[in-house]
Amino acid sequence: MTVRGQLIRFALVGVVNTGTYYGCYLVLLTWLPYGAAHVAAFVLSMIGSFFLNSRFTYRTRPTWRKFLLFPLTNAANFTITTSGVYLLVDVLHFSSRYAPLIAAAAAIPITFVVSRTIMLRPDAADRPAPESAPVGQRTGHRTG
């Protein structure tokens, strides 16, 4: 599996994730202020992103450890997009409907690097179990 292939699959997952985020954001925007809608939509889409990236992008088994670490991959993304949404809406007076799409583009490279590091880090469950043979047999020597 090449880094280039992973990047392409990551981009495809990103398109799906962005669509999921944006759809949730628009629905939530009807009931919530834009900031709360952004945060809620971000969390929901991040959960979906974890499973898509596990199976499709990195072809690794999802584990609780990776699931719990995955939000770290989005910490920079969240900071960049949240700051970007604020800057675009409150400072530059962009529409709150389109600001998240613009802000999300700036976070993609950072998210890929951190995501790849966490998702491809082996868990204890991914490592081979130690051999249970007697000590002398572990090194290839016969005992007895």
Side-chain angles (χ1 to χ4, degrees):
M1 176 174 11
T2 67
V3 174
R4 182 174 181 237
Q6 289 173 348
L7 184 56
I8 290 167
R9 287 189 301 274
F10 183 80
L12 292 172
V13 168
V15 169
V16 170
N17 188 50
T18 300
T20 302
Y21 160 79
Y22 193 54
C24 290
Y25 174 78
L26 291 177
V27 169
L28 294 168
L29 192 58
T30 62
W31 296 300
L32 300 172
Y34 79 86
H38 165 67
V39 171
F42 192 91
V43 169
L44 291 170
S45 66
M46 183 175 57
I47 292 168
S49 178
F50 168 75
F51 289 105
L52 286 172
N53 277 306
S54 289
R55 294 295 189 181
F56 180 68
T57 303
Y58 303 112
R59 298 189 174 141
T60 185
R61 186 172 56 87
T63 64
W64 279 108
R65 177 178 167 78
K66 289 176 184 174
F67 181 76
L68 294 173
L69 288 173
F70 193 73
L72 296 176
T73 70
N74 287 289
N77 183 313
F78 182 79
T79 301
I80 292 166
T81 58
T82 302
S83 300
V85 167
Y86 169 78
L87 176 71
L88 290 167
V89 173
D90 285 350
V91 177
L92 300 175
H93 307 291
F94 276 62
S95 167
S96 62
R97 294 179 65 82
Y98 304 109
L101 297 175
I102 299 165
I108 292 170
I110 294 166
T111 304
F112 174 71
V113 170
V114 179
S115 171
R116 187 173 192 278
T117 301
I118 286 179
M119 297 302 282
L120 294 180
R121 181 179 177 192
D123 285 340
D126 296 334
R127 295 184 195 117
E131 292 185 34
S132 58
V135 174
Q137 289 182 354
R138 286 186 197 157
T139 60
H141 296 82
R142 300 192 119 201
T143 55

